[in-house]
Amino acid sequence: MKIGIGCDHGGVVLKGAVIEAITEVGHDYYDYGTFGQESVDYPDYAEKVCKAIINGEINKGILICGTGIGISIAANKFKGIRCAHVTDEFQAQMSAEHNDANMIALGGRVSDEISTKAMVKRFLETEFAGGRHKNRVDKILRIEEKNFN
Ligand code: RB5
């Protein structure tokens, strides 16, 4: 699979662990920035990776900001994106198995390198269970179509 990575300055240090995990699982990674410690705005990097998924350039994405919160909120504004903000391996697994998440968001000021690698691997190695979970994801898609305001 092709895995996109996007982060702000709060996630740039943890990105190394994400890259290690992706390559150890045997996937290719595509880094959409940011690349330095200079302060940037996390929605810009969420947008780059979400558009790459929507355009079919990549299959899944890993986002990182300071907490994982802002960048996940931004990502979930894009049609077709299901981004789960996760802080442990179980959540990472469930996001793929039950929610068919195509992205996870991590906190560079929340998670350490060991748990980050475990979360990324679990997310990438877990298949969507389908069945009743598909019905629920389909309902999310229908909400997205209606775009209530
Ligand atoms: C940036 O300082 C910080 O607000 C951002 O990385 C993130 O934690 C927002 O949710």
Side-chain angles (χ1 to χ4, degrees):
M1 278 195 294
K2 296 177 177 177
I3 313 299
I5 306 169
C7 68
D8 74 357
H9 54 287
V12 80
V13 171
L14 200 63
K15 181 159 61 176
V18 170
I19 290 172
E20 275 182 32
I22 293 169
T23 51
E24 283 172 20
V25 171
H27 298 306
D28 297 324
Y29 75 89
Y30 297 78
D31 190 344
Y32 292 86
T34 192
F35 299 100
Q37 302 279 351
E38 188 185 337
S39 182
V40 294
D41 298 330
Y42 56 80
D44 297 334
Y45 296 89
E47 180 171 357
K48 289 174 194 288
V49 185
C50 290
K51 283 185 171 169
I53 291 186
I54 292 162
N55 296 339
E57 291 165 33
I58 56 171
N59 305 104
K60 292 185 178 175
I62 313 287
L63 300 177
I64 324 159
C65 67
T67 58
I69 296 171
I71 207 159
S72 63
I73 291 172
N76 282 310
K77 298 297 180 188
F78 287 85
K79 191 173 174 182
I81 296 298
R82 288 179 300 287
C83 180
H85 172 214
V86 301
T87 54
D88 66 32
E89 271 182 84
F90 178 69
Q91 293 169 354
Q93 177 178 335
M94 287 299 110
S95 73
E97 193 172 314
H98 285 192
N99 312 119
D100 199 18
N102 46 14
M103 306 184 104
I104 54 170
L106 307 169
R109 298 171 186 150
V110 176
S111 299
D112 64 22
E113 292 190 0
I114 290 171
S115 81
T116 292
K117 287 184 71 173
M119 288 188 281
V120 170
K121 288 182 178 183
R122 193 73 78 90
F123 171 62
L124 296 177
E125 289 174 339
T126 303
E127 303 252 320
F128 180 45
R132 67 183 186 281
H133 302 294
K134 181 174 185 314
N135 297 340
R136 293 161 185 165
V137 172
D138 285 345
K139 288 193 175 187
I140 295 174
L141 299 181
R142 285 204 290 277
I143 292 169
E144 202 170 58
E145 284 304 323
K146 288 176 192 162
N147 191 18
F148 292 112
N149 280 307

